[in-house]
Amino acid sequence: MRILFSLALVLGTAGAASAEFTTVVDAERFRDLITDKVLTRPLIRLKVSPSGQIEGTGAAIAVQGNWNWRNGFFCRDLSWGERDLGYNCQEVRVNGSRIRFTSDKGNGDYADFSLKPN
């Protein structure tokens, strides 16, 4: 998701880190958050299914992939159009209807998305 994060950062600067976000540590909580929701930010719309699929668009280009939960992290393999964005495990944090993904197990770039009803 590194390129998608880069795309997200170009399309809208990620906000400053904030203490109001809480870390999601297990798959059940993550599934509860994303069930029947769409993750959105300017020019990006993603559906992350509880069963492990990712699909949507980023800058009008198809996004698709798969995810699983591993050792407290959201781990995904993703493509954006014909670009293979590869595998990356990410820290997930949430604040109400906002969800933040931080690449490289919480040590990389982050992008915030709104969780909207599907």
Side-chain angles (χ1 to χ4, degrees):
M1 203 172 216
R2 178 165 288 189
I3 292 175
L4 192 54
F5 276 126
S6 297
L7 173 67
L9 291 172
V10 167
L11 298 176
T13 305
S18 176
E20 70 250 14
F21 279 87
T22 58
T23 304
V24 177
V25 295
D26 63 62
E28 183 177 334
R29 172 75 174 124
F30 180 74
R31 283 186 179 92
D32 287 345
L33 288 167
I34 60 157
T35 297
D36 298 324
K37 300 287 190 304
V38 177
L39 285 67
T40 65
R41 61 179 291 122
L43 300 178
I44 300 174
R45 182 176 175 87
L46 300 173
K47 175 72 175 160
V48 180
S49 78
S51 61
Q53 289 78 41
I54 303 169
E55 59 183 28
T57 58
I61 298 171
V63 174
Q64 40 188 325
N66 297 296
W67 71 271
N68 60 41
W69 197 264
R70 183 169 294 148
N71 299 321
F73 296 99
F74 168 83
C75 297
R76 59 86 188 129
D77 196 8
L78 199 64
S79 64
W80 179 40
E82 294 188 20
R83 295 182 83 168
D84 180 1
L85 302 182
Y87 184 80
N88 191 270
C89 291
Q90 302 167 359
E91 177 187 64
V92 177
R93 297 174 64 80
V94 66
N95 177 7
S97 64
R98 292 184 352 201
I99 190 166
R100 175 176 290 171
F101 294 87
T102 306
S103 65
D104 304 326
K105 295 184 176 179
N107 295 306
D109 294 329
Y110 71 90
D112 291 348
F113 293 84
S114 294
L115 287 165
K116 298 194 175 188
N118 187 12

